[in-house]
Amino acid sequence: YTTGWMNGDIKMAALADTDDTDVAGSELVTNGTFDTDVSGWTDGNTEGTITWNASGYMDLARNSGSGGNIALQDVTTVAGETYVVTFDIVAISNGLTARLGAVISPDTYTTTGTKTFTALASNATETLGFNLANSGTATATIDNISVRLADPDRSVNGNGLAVHGSITKA
């Protein structure tokens, strides 16, 4: 890739590849909006539960134990490509982390709002997972989960540009 000298407080440097192959991306998560149920998601922790909220959300709860991934879904990726993970936390009572494959979100989320992080895939299939805090009881309500191919950010910030549709490069 070619970015040149990036002077000052650079926020993002994307689409700087020397490869002129068009970039095309689509949604990789199945049922990330929870309109009717939580199908496509598995419970990875015997101490936790996943339930559908009639408002169209996924509710996560853990009554005890030491944590572990509660909501899991495998997504098809390409090893070496960057992906953007986005989700909304509607309600939360304790900390929540997310991961895509081996990449764990940079923050333990404790507030509501839209959360985003990028991850570099290592395999053709990566597991998207959500984990409640590691001690005591915890709950979280999540919606609008998305994983999309990203054009890598070549700045120090490392925030990928999520691809919606197709980007023509020349």
Side-chain angles (χ1 to χ4, degrees):
Y1 60 91
T2 168
T3 56
W5 179 50
M6 295 187 285
N7 185 26
D9 188 18
I10 302 301
K11 298 299 180 195
M12 178 180 276
L15 302 170
D17 289 332
T18 57
D19 179 358
D20 66 356
T21 305
D22 293 350
V23 180
S26 61
E27 182 56 58
L28 301 177
V29 171
T30 301
N31 192 22
T33 58
F34 312 106
D35 294 332
T36 58
D37 56 29
V38 290
S39 62
W41 294 88
T42 58
D43 188 345
N45 185 330
T46 58
E47 298 167 349
T49 60
I50 301 171
T51 55
W52 180 69
N53 179 312
S55 296
Y57 306 131
M58 176 172 65
D59 287 332
L60 305 177
R62 195 188 66 249
N63 295 324
S64 63
S66 59
N69 289 301
I70 292 181
L72 302 171
Q73 184 177 125
D74 288 339
V75 294
T76 302
T77 57
V78 175
E81 294 288 345
T82 302
Y83 293 85
V84 174
V85 178
T86 306
F87 57 96
D88 294 336
I89 298 177
V90 178
I92 191 163
S93 70
N94 210 328
L96 173 83
T97 57
R99 71 174 174 95
L100 182 62
V103 179
I104 298 173
S105 56
D107 298 312
T108 297
Y109 305 110
T110 58
T111 60
T112 60
T114 300
K115 311 302 180 184
T116 302
F117 70 96
T118 59
L120 182 66
S122 300
N123 303 293
T125 301
E126 296 286 8
T127 300
L128 174 64
F130 293 89
N131 180 33
L132 290 170
N134 287 331
S135 63
T137 61
T139 60
T141 301
I142 304 173
D143 196 17
N144 301 319
I145 300 170
S146 173
V147 175
R148 289 186 168 272
L149 177 66
D151 193 73
D153 178 4
R154 306 298 184 180
S155 76
V156 297
N157 298 310
N159 298 317
L161 178 66
V163 178
H164 293 257
S166 180
I167 300 172
T168 303
K169 292 170 47 175

